[in-house]
Amino acid sequence: MPALNIEFTEEELAAIREAAAADGKSIKAYVHDLSVREQQRRRFVERAAKFWNEHIEEFDAAFPEEAPPSEGGAAA
């Protein structure tokens, strides 16, 4: 299985060791899970933003009081 060697400062490693212990995991499992969750979070945010951008007119039509004023409109 592929692996990485990652360098940390003593302070960074101490914080990671503490966080891993709080989660009841080894440092290796903690860093693995954290990196996978971050990748999943980024994918979710990208897809949510894409969905929002594809459906913004529908949201604005359904909730006109929440729609931002048009650029050509008068400022409040």
Side-chain angles (χ1 to χ4, degrees):
M1 178 177 288
L4 296 173
N5 287 325
I6 303 171
E7 295 181 13
F8 296 100
T9 66
E10 291 296 327
E11 294 82 16
E12 291 168 338
L13 187 56
I16 291 169
R17 185 176 286 117
E18 185 177 320
D23 276 4
K25 297 179 180 179
S26 67
I27 292 174
K28 184 177 179 178
Y30 179 80
V31 171
H32 170 270
D33 293 351
L34 188 65
S35 62
V36 170
R37 277 196 315 265
E38 175 60 14
Q39 199 273 334
Q40 291 169 338
R41 184 197 67 80
R42 287 177 182 247
R43 188 176 324 139
F44 172 83
V45 169
E46 288 171 5
R47 290 177 179 173
K50 181 178 185 278
F51 179 85
W52 174 260
N53 289 327
E54 289 172 351
H55 297 278
I56 192 151
E57 288 90 12
E58 295 170 52
F59 285 111
D60 289 349
F63 306 101
E65 66 281 355
E66 300 293 328
S70 64
E71 292 182 25

